[in-house]
Amino acid sequence: SAVISQKPSRDICQRGTSLTIQCQVDSQVTMMFWYRQQPGQSLTLIATANQGSEATYESGFVIDKFPISRPNLTFSTLTVSNMSPEDSSIYLCSVSTGWSGGYTFGSGTRLTVV
Amino acid sequence: DAKTTQPPSMDCAEGRAANLPCNHSTISGNEYVYWYRQIHSQGPQYIIHGLKNNETNEMASLIITEDRKSSTLILPHATLRDTAVYYCIVRVGSYSGGYQKVTFGTGTKLQVIP
């Protein structure tokens, strides 16, 4: 299955600033998925990123707040813009393993906004 | 994706079998049952999946009822390292299913007790 390298693993940021999270996959994948996990909560899908087209955002998430880039089949970034303490969460990327519909997840980025 | 229902938490004594139930009464004929777990502060990890037959791998066994409306994940000899949140997910299991987003429920928090 695919191996995902996600960076940074954690960060503490000032409110009003932006943070870009990177996900590098060791194989080419068509779809990449970005999730948010707020403290004590389950995973919530932010958007689906397909190479060569704009990301598809879930209800409650907008491109201005969470711009996503997908420049090639092995890489994607998620930016958390104009951060507030409410953005403090773990952010994870995920790709399909290709077999029987399973998924592989990155190790996550723990973001704290102060 | 079909909705799943899991108990919010369970305890299990170390060395005993942990049996985690999941209800998925609206599952469709082409949807598989997947189980993932998330150990604290890490990305979700694939455990096992199945369509209608019982499945076993090095991590766990999956028992699916004949009507496929519920399933049970069995960790045969739970260890402290199995303490995690366990998610049951149902979705199309084909390769093309990898293009589908995955919806996570709240999962079951399993606490393995020494």
Side-chain angles (χ1 to χ4, degrees), chain B residues 1-36:
Chain B
D1 293 347
K3 183 177 180 180
T4 60
T5 304
Q6 299 177 252
S9 63
M10 293 181 63
D11 291 338
C12 178
E14 188 178 18
R16 304 296 294 269
N19 296 275
L20 292 92
C22 180
N23 287 319
H24 31 81
S25 58
T26 60
I27 191 170
S28 300
N30 63 347
E31 288 183 314
Y32 284 63
V33 180
Y34 291 82
W35 282 84
Y36 287 81

Side-chain angles (χ1 to χ4, degrees), chain A residues 30-31 33 35 37 41-43 45 58 90 92 96 98-103 105-107 110, chain B residues 34 36 38 41-44 46 49 87 91 93-95 97-102 104-106:
Chain A
T30 304
M31 309 287 279
F33 304 90
Y35 289 84
Q37 187 171 29
Q41 303 296 313
S42 183
L43 284 74
L45 182 65
E58 296 299 304
I90 298 173
L92 301 111
S96 169
W99 50 262
S100 299
Y103 290 87
F105 288 82
S107 55
R110 181 180 291 273
Chain B
Y34 291 82
Y36 287 81
Q38 186 175 27
S41 298
Q42 299 181 20
Y46 165 83
H49 75 285
Y87 295 100
R91 46 149 297 171
S94 64
Y95 182 90
Y99 299 96
Q100 294 184 345
K101 62 185 181 183
V102 174
F104 282 82
T106 53

Side-chain angles (χ1 to χ4, degrees), chain B:
Chain B
D1 293 347
K3 183 177 180 180
T4 60
T5 304
Q6 299 177 252
S9 63
M10 293 181 63
D11 291 338
C12 178
E14 188 178 18
R16 304 296 294 269
N19 296 275
L20 292 92
C22 180
N23 287 319
H24 31 81
S25 58
T26 60
I27 191 170
S28 300
N30 63 347
E31 288 183 314
Y32 284 63
V33 180
Y34 291 82
W35 282 84
Y36 287 81
R37 73 180 182 183
Q38 186 175 27
I39 297 172
H40 182 62
S41 298
Q42 299 181 20
Q45 174 192 23
Y46 165 83
I47 301 173
I48 198 168
H49 75 285
L51 181 63
K52 55 183 178 181
N53 298 320
N54 298 337
E55 302 288 344
T56 295
N57 63 20
E58 65 279 3
M59 290 182 67
S61 295
L62 174 60
I63 308 298
I64 303 174
T65 58
E66 190 170 346
D67 63 8
R68 302 209 322 124
K69 293 184 177 182
S70 65
S71 60
T72 300
L73 177 75
I74 300 173
L75 308 179
H77 305 287
T79 71
L80 297 179
R81 289 177 292 180
D82 293 321
T83 293
V85 178
Y86 288 77
Y87 295 100
C88 167
I89 298 161
V90 294
R91 46 149 297 171
V92 174
S94 64
Y95 182 90
S96 62
Y99 299 96
Q100 294 184 345
K101 62 185 181 183
V102 174
T103 300
F104 282 82
T106 53
T108 295
K109 185 174 184 178
L110 175 69
Q111 181 70 50
V112 179
I113 302 169

